């Protein structure tokens, strides 16, 4: 069965409390997968709050040379009450083909929330 190769790196933007996950999507041959919409991405926060998160925006970065297959997945106002390290599972699907990965975000003080 074919699958997508997905890698991700998350960041907590403390100035606005946005959670931004940079996601790279490739096919099994390593070619960039472009044209994906918000409906193709799912994100779950791991830990005691395990649940699927709503996604506010997915921004394809393929208009920038060398960033084909890259997307910014954004959750606005993600503001956990405590500082710490938070795990996320990111799943991407295109038709019947999908792939997923884990990423971690460290929230350390500052900013609203």
């Amino acid at each position: 069965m074919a699958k997508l190769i997905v890698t991700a790196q998350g960041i907590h933007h403390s100035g606005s409390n946005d959670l931004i996950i940079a996601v790279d999507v490739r096919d099994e041959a390593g070619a960039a997968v472009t044209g994906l919409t918000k409906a193709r991405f799912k994100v779950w926060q791991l830990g005691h709050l395990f649940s699927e998160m709503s996604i506010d925006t997915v921004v394809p970065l393929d208009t920038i040379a060398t960033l084909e297959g890259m997307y910014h997945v954004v959750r606005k106002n993600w503001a956990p009450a405590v500082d710490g390290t938070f795990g996320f599972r990111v799943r991407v699907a295109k038709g019947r083909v999908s792939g997923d990965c884990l990423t971690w975000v460290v929230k350390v003080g500052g900013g609203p929330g």
Side-chain angles (χ1 to χ4, degrees):
M1 174 183 254
K3 70 179 224 171
L4 298 177
I5 308 303
V6 178
T7 56
Q9 177 64 53
I11 182 171
H12 170 245
H13 187 275
S14 63
S16 67
N17 272 333
D18 290 352
L19 171 68
I20 302 170
I21 302 176
V23 181
D24 183 48
V25 185
R26 305 281 163 179
D27 64 17
E28 286 186 314
V33 177
T34 59
L36 298 175
T37 62
K38 181 172 119 173
R40 298 294 167 201
F41 293 82
K42 299 218 181 286
V43 177
W44 291 267
Q45 184 171 338
L46 306 179
H48 72 282
L49 298 175
F50 183 82
S51 62
E52 184 176 345
M53 297 177 65
S54 61
I55 298 170
D56 293 305
T57 310
V58 171
V59 180
L61 301 177
D62 58 1
T63 58
I64 302 169
T66 73
L67 294 183
E68 296 86 0
M70 292 286 301
Y71 300 83
H72 274 178
V73 176
V74 181
R75 165 69 190 265
K76 299 251 183 224
N77 298 314
W78 176 77
V82 297
D83 291 347
T85 302
F86 300 87
F88 296 89
R89 178 179 180 213
V90 179
R91 185 173 217 19
V92 183
K94 183 173 184 178
R96 294 182 175 212
V97 181
S98 64
D100 64 318
C101 69
L102 294 176
T103 189
W104 304 93
V105 174
V106 177
K107 178 188 178 268
V108 180

